[in-house]
C-alpha cells in the first residue's frame, strides 16, 4: 500500500492566477497519475507522470495549462495555470504500479472565483 | 472500516461467461461511478449513475444503481480477454461536505 498526502487540501483562487498542487508518497513509485473531478462528473485522468520523462497528457489536457513536475520517485506537482471558474474541481494524485490497484491522495479542492 | 465495499475481490472466468461485480455503501450516495484500470495504466471512466433505479449499458457492460442509491452492480455479458483488469467503483456523498470515496477494487481475469 501507499500513503499519499496532498497540499493544499483546499484553496480559493482568483481568475487568472495559478496554483501548484503538491503530492507526496511515502514510498518510491514509478507511476503517478493526476486526476480531476469536476462537480457532478466522474474522475478524469489529466496526465501520467513518470520520473525521468515528460508527463503524458490525456486528450483535452495540455502541458501549458497543467504543467507537471516529477523530480523524484516520491513527489510530483501539478500546476493549474491561468485559472478560470471552469477549473473549479477536486484534483487528486494517485500512484500505481504493475498489477496493483491505484491508491489515491485525499484531493485538493479548488474553487476559482 | 471501508465505506465502499466491493465484491468479489478477484474473479477468474472463462471467456464467454457472464459476471457481476457489486459495490455497496452504508450511506446514500450522490453519484456512483464505475472505472476500469488496465494493469499499469490510469483509470478509465465507464459509467456514472445518479438516479435511484438507474441502469446504463455500454457495449457488453451494464451497470445498475438500486432505488436506495446504496448499492450498484456491474454486469459483463459474454466476457472477453479485453475485459480483464481492475474494476473500481467510486462514489460521492454529502456528509457536511462532499466526499469522494473509492471501493476496494475487483481484479478480473478472463481465460481464453
Amino acid at each position: 500500500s501507499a500513503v499519499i498526502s496532498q497540499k493544499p487540501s483546499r484553496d480559493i483562487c482568483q481568475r487568472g492566477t495559478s496554483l501548484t498542487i503538491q503530492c507526496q508518497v511515502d514510498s518510491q513509485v514509478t507511476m503517478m497519475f493526476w486526476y480531476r473531478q469536476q462537480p457532478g462528473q466522474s474522475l478524469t485522468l489529466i496526465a501520467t507522470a513518470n520520473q525521468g520523462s515528460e508527463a503524458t497528457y490525456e486528450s483535452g489536457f495540455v502541458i501549458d495549462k497543467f504543467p507537471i513536475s516529477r523530480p523524484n520517485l516520491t513527489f510530483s506537482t501539478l500546476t493549474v495555470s491561468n485559472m478560470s471558474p471552469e477549473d473549479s474541481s477536486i484534483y487528486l494524485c494517485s500512484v500505481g504500479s504493475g498489477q496493483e490497484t491505484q491508491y489515491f491522495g485525499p484531493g485538493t479542492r479548488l474553487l476559482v472565483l | 472500516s471501508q465505506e465502499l465495499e466491493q465484491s468479489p475481490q478477484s474473479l477468474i472466468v472463462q471467456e464467454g461467461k457472464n459476471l457481476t461485480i457489486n459495490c455497496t455503501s452504508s450511506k446514500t450516495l450522490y453519484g456512483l461511478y464505475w472505472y476500469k484500470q488496465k494493469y499499469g495504466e490510469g483509470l478509465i471512466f465507464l459509467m456514472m449513475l445518479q438516479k435511484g433505479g438507474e441502469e446504463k449499458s455500454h457495449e457488453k457492460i451494464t451497470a445498475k444503481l438500486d432505488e436506495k442509491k446504496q448499492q450498484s452492480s456491474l454486469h459483463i455479458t459474454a466476457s472477453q480477454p479485453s475485459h480483464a483488469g481492475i474494476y473500481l467503483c467510486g462514489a460521492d456523498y454529502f456528509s457536511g461536505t462532499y466526499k469522494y470515496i473509492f471501493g476496494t477494487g475487483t481484479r478480473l481475469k478472463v481465460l481464453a
Side-chain angles (χ1 to χ4, degrees):
Chain A
S1 65
V3 177
I4 304 170
S5 60
Q6 281 185 236
K7 289 183 182 179
S9 59
R10 60 179 65 233
D11 207 342
I12 301 173
C13 301
Q14 293 296 322
R15 181 194 299 259
T17 62
S18 297
L19 176 74
T20 295
I21 302 168
Q22 299 178 7
C23 180
Q24 180 76 50
V25 189
D26 69 342
S27 57
Q28 293 185 336
V29 293
T30 305
M31 304 180 75
M32 293 182 77
F33 305 91
W34 285 99
Y35 292 89
R36 177 175 77 179
Q37 187 198 9
Q38 293 177 300
Q41 298 185 26
S42 74
L43 208 63
T44 303
L45 180 63
I46 297 172
T48 302
N50 292 333
Q51 198 271 333
S53 62
E54 294 285 329
T56 303
Y57 288 83
E58 297 299 306
S59 176
F61 298 96
V62 295
I63 187 171
D64 290 345
K65 176 68 177 177
F66 297 100
I68 288 171
S69 77
R70 184 80 203 274
N72 57 54
L73 291 172
T74 63
F75 187 79
S76 178
T77 67
L78 170 77
T79 299
V80 186
S81 304
N82 189 25
M83 287 184 286
S84 66
E86 291 72 34
D87 293 320
S88 297
S89 187
I90 301 173
Y91 292 85
L92 297 107
C93 71
S94 80
V95 303
S97 61
Q99 300 185 14
E100 293 294 320
T101 305
Q102 287 189 314
Y103 299 95
F104 288 85
T108 295
R109 284 155 179 78
L110 172 62
L111 176 64
V112 184
L113 303 176
Chain B
S1 63
Q2 185 67 34
E3 296 181 71
L4 209 56
E5 294 283 348
Q6 261 185 260
S7 63
Q9 289 187 332
S10 64
L11 197 53
I12 302 174
V13 299
Q14 203 67 39
E15 182 177 3
K17 295 293 186 183
N18 303 335
L19 63 104
T20 300
I21 300 169
N22 295 302
C23 180
T24 303
S25 170
S26 57
K27 308 178 194 300
T28 299
L29 305 170
Y30 178 76
L32 190 288
Y33 310 86
W34 282 101
Y35 302 93
K36 179 185 175 183
Q37 179 196 350
K38 289 188 175 180
Y39 298 130
E41 298 181 17
L43 292 182
I44 301 167
F45 169 69
L46 295 175
M47 269 171 277
M48 175 174 68
L49 304 165
Q50 287 188 306
K51 299 178 183 176
E54 187 174 9
E55 178 176 325
K56 287 186 177 178
S57 294
H58 176 68
E59 297 180 347
K60 294 185 178 179
I61 301 177
T62 301
K64 301 179 184 179
L65 182 63
D66 74 338
E67 290 288 345
K68 293 171 71 174
K69 298 174 66 174
Q70 289 185 263
Q71 184 170 7
S72 178
S73 60
L74 184 83
H75 185 76
I76 299 177
T77 303
S79 58
Q80 300 170 355
S82 61
H83 288 127
I86 299 174
Y87 288 82
L88 201 66
C89 63
D92 50 16
Y93 66 95
F94 186 81
S95 177
T97 183
Y98 282 104
K99 191 174 177 182
Y100 198 88
I101 53 176
F102 291 94
T104 46
T106 297
R107 287 168 176 75
L108 172 64
K109 188 171 183 178
V110 181
L111 303 176

